[in-house]
Amino acid sequence: MSKITSAIEKRFYAAIQWSLKHQLKAMAIILLGVIVPIGTLNVLQYQSMVQYEQQGTRALQEQMQSLLGRMALRIYTDTYRGFHDTFHSVDREHNELFSGKPRIASTLVGAIQNTSNSYTAKKKKPQQALFIFAKEPDGTWKSYFGRSNSDNPARRAAAARAREYFFTLPPERQDTGHQYYYDAESEMLVLLHTMSPAQIVYSDTPPLRPIKAVMGVTLTKKDFKDDFKYQTQTGAISRFDTTPLDSQLAGTTYYYQVKDEKGQVLYKDPGWDKNVGCNDFIRADFRITPEQRFLTDWELSAITRSNFKQATERSLTQMFWASGIVAVLLGMLLVVLFRAGLVAVKVSELQTDIVAGVSHDLKTPLAGIIASAQLIASGRASGVQETKQFSGYILAEARRLTAVVEKVLTMAKLESRQLLMKPSPLSVAELIDHAIGLSQAAYPQAIIAKGEVATGQVTGDANALTTVLMNLIDNAVRYSGDAQPWVRVQSYWSGFGEKRILHLLVEDRGVGIPAEEQAFIFQKFYRVRNGLVSDTEGTGLGLAIASQIVNAHRGQILVESRVGIGSTFTVKIPHEQPHFGR
């Protein structure tokens, strides 16, 4: 097991090293490794949702077609049930009709028509045109019509054709209690109700009964148009739900249309035209067939908004948003990894340079000290003058060595917060003059100018802020290139009152810092990888120490630089210093 773990660690380390060296390829592999599976899952999920939508849509259409058929059946049964009471409103058991009296059928249809006229007058509805054809005592069949303002030759002709149709039917088809006949010539539907003195026998093979009379009524398209309108608008079919309560809970809106056998629209809901062409609506059609012996070739249609499409669109939107967020987070992660990899590469490359640089800064003065001490110890120094010269060299190199060690120790104390700041009110002008004076003494050949200086005082640690300015001036002088070092120090205030911020600017005309290196120059031991810069001696701690001190003052240090033109470092120190140095 340990061998396997060791092998995995080696492979992982090798992969990390390869990624650091080939960051673009590594990013591409990571993108493919994450985006391809996410994209594949999105495609599969999309296909699944589309399939769900299609299956749900088909199921809903089948349900709508079934219920449209139920609506047609409802009108079919309601029509003959309504007229059943009319046909039996007088002589309910047909005793008078079958009494054998002459023209009794005419008398009965007249009485039934009068009763119907009274009812429709109360309801303010059009009168119905009733008729009857009955078998007289002499064996002949005669037709009689009630007196109605709806009676006309067209209705009588339709009734006559319905009578002819009835007698073409076989006996078992005649004795059905009721049936419809559609008269294509007049475009009327005729309801026929058979009457027999024999009782109905309910069995699988009932005996044929003698038909003595057939009562009927002629109905126009307008009658059924009104029926369909009533069914759809009053919720008589529960708007495709089992109960009115289900309809309210479902909150679904349906729109209907009814066409006759010629394709003429007899009725449609007000919202039909507005929504029928919308992509998010489902449509179902039901055509009445000749076998159903009703309104042959009439077409009932319904549309409703598809919850399946809405759910699919909502799911797709959520899926795309989620994928987009994942992609953005992934991109941010890759950027962070890229930057971290870049830093790691630079740090790994700088480790050798740091060790070499610090070793050089330590070994060089030590070598000089040892060599001078050996000359003095061996007596090879001739006279007091050479002894003083070598002693002076030893002292200078010792101070140089001490400065390097102090920088390292100062950096360590700042990071561990062992070096506490000692705040006090400082004159801005005196702070700048003091830093320029010390730097000028260290670099007498350099031009260190003082620009405009802000008046007033700032709260801070005098030694620490002086160190910041001296480190910035030191860098400006040492990285001035072949030209004579030129540095300018100036300051100004921004803001008002106690919220003011002091800006200390150190400007030079040196070699400049590449833009891609500027983000790293305040890290400890970091040195710009540039021939003109890396050839200059230094530990890479000056700017890191300056940054730590400024941070302890709750301030900020910034750099603006262009290669070959120069750099400007800006130190921002707040006027107020609450919780100083914590």
Side-chain angles (χ1 to χ4, degrees):
M1 189 66 183
S2 59
K3 292 182 178 180
I4 296 176
T5 304
S6 177
I8 293 175
E9 291 179 352
K10 290 181 179 179
R11 295 293 182 110
F12 181 75
Y13 180 77
I16 293 296
Q17 292 294 322
W18 183 87
S19 298
L20 292 176
K21 293 180 180 179
H22 306 85
Q23 294 187 27
L24 292 178
K25 292 182 180 179
M27 288 178 62
I29 292 174
I30 294 174
L31 284 172
L32 290 175
V34 177
I35 291 178
V36 170
I38 291 177
T40 302
L41 290 176
N42 285 342
V43 170
L44 294 176
Q45 185 178 2
Y46 172 76
Q47 292 176 345
S48 176
M49 287 189 295
V50 170
Q51 185 178 6
Y52 164 77
E53 177 189 343
Q54 292 173 347
Q55 293 175 349
T57 299
R58 284 196 297 268
L60 181 57
Q61 285 177 326
E62 291 174 359
Q63 181 187 13
M64 292 169 66
Q65 288 174 341
S66 173
L67 295 173
L68 282 171
R70 192 181 79 184
M71 180 168 66
L73 179 61
R74 183 73 173 266
I75 294 175
Y76 178 95
T77 55
D78 285 354
T79 301
Y80 81 74
R81 286 176 180 174
F83 281 103
H84 181 272
D85 294 337
T86 301
F87 295 151
H88 293 79
S89 60
V90 178
D91 188 22
R92 185 171 185 81
E93 301 299 328
H94 307 314
N95 294 326
E96 288 292 325
L97 180 62
F98 303 137
S99 64
K101 296 178 182 180
R103 298 183 62 84
I104 187 62
S106 175
T107 302
L108 284 175
V109 75
I112 294 173
Q113 182 71 66
N114 291 336
T115 302
S116 175
N117 291 345
S118 299
Y119 174 79
T120 54
K122 291 179 182 180
K123 296 293 184 178
K124 296 181 180 180
K125 293 182 178 181
Q127 295 181 0
Q128 301 293 342
L130 303 175
F131 67 90
I132 188 173
F133 52 94
K135 193 174 185 180
E136 294 295 332
D138 59 1
T140 61
W141 286 81
K142 291 186 179 180
S143 298
Y144 303 98
F145 296 88
R147 291 185 178 182
S148 167
N149 56 19
S150 298
D151 188 23
N152 55 49
R155 288 180 181 270
R156 295 199 174 197
R161 285 186 287 270
R163 171 182 167 174
E164 294 175 2
Y165 163 77
F166 179 79
F167 286 120
T168 62
L169 297 175
E172 62 274 10
R173 284 283 308 280
Q174 291 180 352
D175 187 16
T176 56
H178 72 276
Q179 58 185 286
Y180 290 95
Y181 166 74
Y182 182 69
D183 184 54
E185 185 173 341
S186 63
E187 298 183 359
M188 294 184 187
L189 192 71
V190 183
L191 172 61
L192 301 175
H193 174 58
T194 56
M195 301 177 179
S196 173
Q199 295 295 323
I200 298 177
V201 178
Y202 295 99
S203 67
D204 294 337
T205 57
L208 296 177
R209 300 184 307 157
I211 305 300
K212 296 298 183 179
V214 178
M215 184 168 287
V217 61
T218 53
L219 303 170
T220 63
K221 289 182 178 180
K222 184 180 183 304
D223 297 324
F224 289 98
K225 172 184 176 181
D226 294 340
D227 287 341
F228 280 112
K229 184 176 181 180
Y230 170 78
Q231 292 282 346
T232 58
Q233 290 188 347
T234 61
I237 60 165
S238 302
R239 303 295 267 182
F240 294 142
D241 298 294
T242 55
T243 66
L245 177 60
D246 291 335
S247 179
Q248 293 178 5
L249 292 176
T252 306
T253 301
Y254 295 89
Y255 303 96
Y256 303 94
Q257 177 179 265
V258 179
K259 289 183 180 181
D260 63 12
E261 75 284 357
K262 295 182 178 179
Q264 179 182 356
V265 177
L266 300 181
Y267 167 76
K268 61 182 174 183
D269 278 335
W272 177 272
D273 291 334
K274 178 181 178 181
N275 297 299
V276 69
C278 297
N279 293 329
D280 56 344
F281 271 73
I282 295 177
R283 175 171 178 165
D285 300 308
F286 177 82
R287 184 176 292 274
I288 302 175
T289 63
E291 291 77 11
Q292 293 166 326
R293 301 186 186 92
F294 191 45
L295 301 170
T296 301
D297 289 335
W298 280 36
E299 185 179 74
L300 315 181
S301 302
I303 59 173
T304 186
R305 188 181 299 276
S306 171
N307 292 329
F308 299 105
K309 290 185 178 180
Q310 293 175 349
T312 301
E313 291 175 357
R314 184 165 54 250
S315 298
L316 286 176
T317 301
Q318 293 173 352
M319 181 181 69
F320 288 140
W321 271 106
S323 300
I325 293 173
V326 170
V328 171
L329 293 177
L330 177 61
M332 294 173 62
L333 177 61
L334 288 175
V335 170
V336 172
L337 290 176
F338 179 79
R339 295 297 298 272
L342 182 62
V343 172
V345 171
K346 289 183 176 294
V347 169
S348 63
E349 292 177 349
L350 285 174
Q351 286 179 346
T352 303
D353 295 345
I354 291 170
V355 173
V358 174
S359 299
H360 179 270
D361 288 339
L362 293 175
K363 287 181 177 180
T364 300
L366 283 174
I369 292 172
I370 292 172
S372 299
Q374 287 177 342
L375 289 173
I376 295 175
S378 64
R380 295 172 63 183
S382 58
V384 177
Q385 187 63 30
E386 285 192 359
T387 301
K388 288 184 177 179
Q389 181 180 355
F390 289 132
S391 299
Y393 183 77
I394 291 173
L395 180 62
E397 293 300 314
R399 289 175 177 172
R400 178 180 171 187
L401 181 61
T402 301
V404 173
V405 174
E406 285 182 351
K407 282 187 176 182
V408 175
L409 293 176
T410 300
M411 189 68 209
K413 290 181 180 180
L414 285 171
E415 287 186 331
S416 62
R417 297 189 178 182
Q418 295 180 5
L419 185 61
L420 300 178
M421 301 290 114
K422 299 177 181 180
S424 63
L426 305 174
S427 169
V428 177
E430 291 179 1
L431 174 65
I432 293 176
D433 288 341
H434 184 55
I436 291 177
L438 293 176
S439 299
Q440 192 70 72
Y443 299 103
Q445 80 283 4
I447 299 175
I448 305 176
K450 181 172 69 172
E452 296 184 3
V453 177
T455 59
Q457 295 181 330
V458 66
T459 301
D461 187 301
N463 292 331
L465 292 180
T466 301
T467 299
V468 171
L469 290 177
M470 289 182 64
N471 284 356
L472 295 178
I473 296 172
D474 178 74
N475 271 15
V477 172
R478 289 193 298 111
Y479 297 108
S480 60
D482 297 332
Q484 182 181 13
W486 179 92
V487 185
R488 180 170 62 186
V489 183
Q490 53 188 344
S491 63
Y492 65 90
W493 291 100
S494 67
F496 301 93
E498 298 301 321
K499 300 297 182 180
R500 292 182 299 167
I501 295 177
L502 176 64
H503 296 249
L504 298 171
L505 283 74
V506 177
E507 179 185 356
D508 66 59
R509 297 174 182 173
V511 296
I513 305 170
E516 63 273 12
E517 303 274 356
Q518 294 176 17
F520 308 100
I521 60 175
F522 296 106
Q523 297 178 6
K524 60 180 180 179
F525 300 117
Y526 185 86
R527 302 191 66 202
V528 176
R529 301 185 64 79
N530 179 302
L532 294 175
V533 177
S534 57
D535 292 341
T536 303
E537 294 182 356
T539 60
L541 290 174
L543 293 180
I545 292 173
S547 177
Q548 290 285 344
I549 293 174
V550 172
N551 289 337
H553 284 76
R554 299 293 188 269
Q556 188 179 13
I557 185 168
L558 306 173
V559 61
E560 294 181 6
S561 182
R562 294 177 64 184
V563 176
I565 296 178
S567 305
T568 300
F569 286 84
T570 302
V571 176
K572 298 181 180 180
I573 304 296
H575 180 270
E576 291 185 346
Q577 290 292 330
H579 311 294
F580 189 92
R582 294 185 184 177

PDB file of all heavy atoms in Angstrom, residues 28 50 105 172 356 556:
ATOM      1  N   ALA A  28      -5.977  24.320 -20.316  1.00  0.00           N
ATOM      2  CA  ALA A  28      -6.824  23.737 -21.354  1.00  0.00           C
ATOM      3  C   ALA A  28      -7.319  22.347 -20.950  1.00  0.00           C
ATOM      4  O   ALA A  28      -8.493  21.995 -21.142  1.00  0.00           O
ATOM      5  CB  ALA A  28      -6.065  23.665 -22.677  1.00  0.00           C
ATOM      6  N   VAL A  50     -36.745  17.353 -22.761  1.00  0.00           N
ATOM      7  CA  VAL A  50     -37.512  17.417 -24.009  1.00  0.00           C
ATOM      8  C   VAL A  50     -38.388  16.176 -24.147  1.00  0.00           C
ATOM      9  O   VAL A  50     -39.563  16.263 -24.542  1.00  0.00           O
ATOM     10  CB  VAL A  50     -36.568  17.576 -25.211  1.00  0.00           C
ATOM     11  CG1 VAL A  50     -37.332  17.388 -26.520  1.00  0.00           C
ATOM     12  CG2 VAL A  50     -35.898  18.942 -25.187  1.00  0.00           C
ATOM     13  N   ALA A 105    -103.063  11.605 -32.502  1.00  0.00           N
ATOM     14  CA  ALA A 105    -101.669  12.068 -32.571  1.00  0.00           C
ATOM     15  C   ALA A 105    -101.616  13.566 -32.827  1.00  0.00           C
ATOM     16  O   ALA A 105    -100.788  14.285 -32.265  1.00  0.00           O
ATOM     17  CB  ALA A 105    -100.921  11.315 -33.653  1.00  0.00           C
ATOM     18  N   GLU A 172     -84.543  -3.660 -35.360  1.00  0.00           N
ATOM     19  CA  GLU A 172     -83.755  -3.557 -34.127  1.00  0.00           C
ATOM     20  C   GLU A 172     -83.097  -2.181 -33.975  1.00  0.00           C
ATOM     21  O   GLU A 172     -82.780  -1.773 -32.860  1.00  0.00           O
ATOM     22  CB  GLU A 172     -82.683  -4.648 -34.079  1.00  0.00           C
ATOM     23  CG  GLU A 172     -81.633  -4.604 -35.172  1.00  0.00           C
ATOM     24  CD  GLU A 172     -82.092  -5.344 -36.424  1.00  0.00           C
ATOM     25  OE1 GLU A 172     -83.287  -5.718 -36.488  1.00  0.00           O
ATOM     26  OE2 GLU A 172     -81.253  -5.560 -37.321  1.00  0.00           O
ATOM     27  N   ALA A 356      21.517  32.627  -3.269  1.00  0.00           N
ATOM     28  CA  ALA A 356      22.762  33.155  -3.843  1.00  0.00           C
ATOM     29  C   ALA A 356      22.961  34.608  -3.466  1.00  0.00           C
ATOM     30  O   ALA A 356      24.085  35.033  -3.130  1.00  0.00           O
ATOM     31  CB  ALA A 356      22.723  33.000  -5.366  1.00  0.00           C
ATOM     32  N   GLN A 556      -0.909  52.521   2.838  1.00  0.00           N
ATOM     33  CA  GLN A 556      -0.852  51.800   1.565  1.00  0.00           C
ATOM     34  C   GLN A 556       0.359  52.292   0.772  1.00  0.00           C
ATOM     35  O   GLN A 556       0.676  53.491   0.787  1.00  0.00           O
ATOM     36  CB  GLN A 556      -2.142  52.046   0.778  1.00  0.00           C
ATOM     37  CG  GLN A 556      -2.292  51.216  -0.478  1.00  0.00           C
ATOM     38  CD  GLN A 556      -3.619  51.505  -1.186  1.00  0.00           C
ATOM     39  OE1 GLN A 556      -4.290  52.482  -0.869  1.00  0.00           O
ATOM     40  NE2 GLN A 556      -3.970  50.677  -2.145  1.00  0.00           N
TER      41      GLN A 556
END
